[in-house]
Every structure is written in structure tokens, then in C-alpha cells.
Amino acid sequence: ALSDPAAFAGPVLILSAGPAGTEAKGFCEGAPDCDIASLPASGPAPHLEQDSIRSLWFERLSAFLAEPHAEAEAKPAEPAPHEM
């Protein structure tokens, strides 16, 4: 999937500790539904950081999960098979 981001079939959020690198930017440019959020003061584990950084990480993640995504809207949910 990393060698062909256009083939990636789901929404992607890249949370970058500091500015996003060229590999992340290149992937996002080629992926159909990709977003990059930089956390400039964060270390590699933003969920373990101080409140100000962790809050920013959580807000960005929550906003991404709440966003409608084209892939999710394009395909109606399949009904679950019923066991008899």
C-alpha cells in the first residue's frame, strides 16, 4: 500500500510529531482520502505527552473520526449474515 497510495481504500490520518516528512507528504498527495496533522511540540508518543499536546492530538483525531469520508458514503453498509 505504501508503494501505491492511490490503491489504499480507506481514509488516512497521519499524525506527525513535528513537521511531516517528505514520505508522509508524498503518500498523502497520492492517497484518495488523506490528511496530515503536525504536532510540533510532540515526541513520538503524543498520547503520553503533557495535557496541552495530548489535547491537540485527541482533538485532531476526534475531528478526523467525525468527518464524513467519501469511501464510507459511497458504499452502503452490507447487512450482517444471519445464522440459522
Side-chain angles (χ1 to χ4, degrees), residues 35-82:
D35 192 14
I36 296 177
S38 294
L39 305 170
S42 178
H47 61 290
L48 299 176
E49 290 282 356
Q50 62 189 354
D51 287 347
S52 61
I53 296 169
R54 189 174 54 244
S55 294
L56 178 61
W57 166 80
F58 188 72
E59 287 171 14
R60 189 58 196 104
L61 180 60
S62 296
F64 178 79
L65 294 174
E67 291 173 5
H69 295 279
E71 181 71 18
E73 292 176 1
K75 295 181 182 176
E78 294 287 328
H82 296 282

Side-chain angles (χ1 to χ4, degrees), residues 17-47:
T22 55
E23 187 175 358
K25 289 178 183 176
F27 178 87
C28 239
E29 288 173 2
D33 189 2
C34 184
D35 192 14
I36 296 177
S38 294
L39 305 170
S42 178
H47 61 290

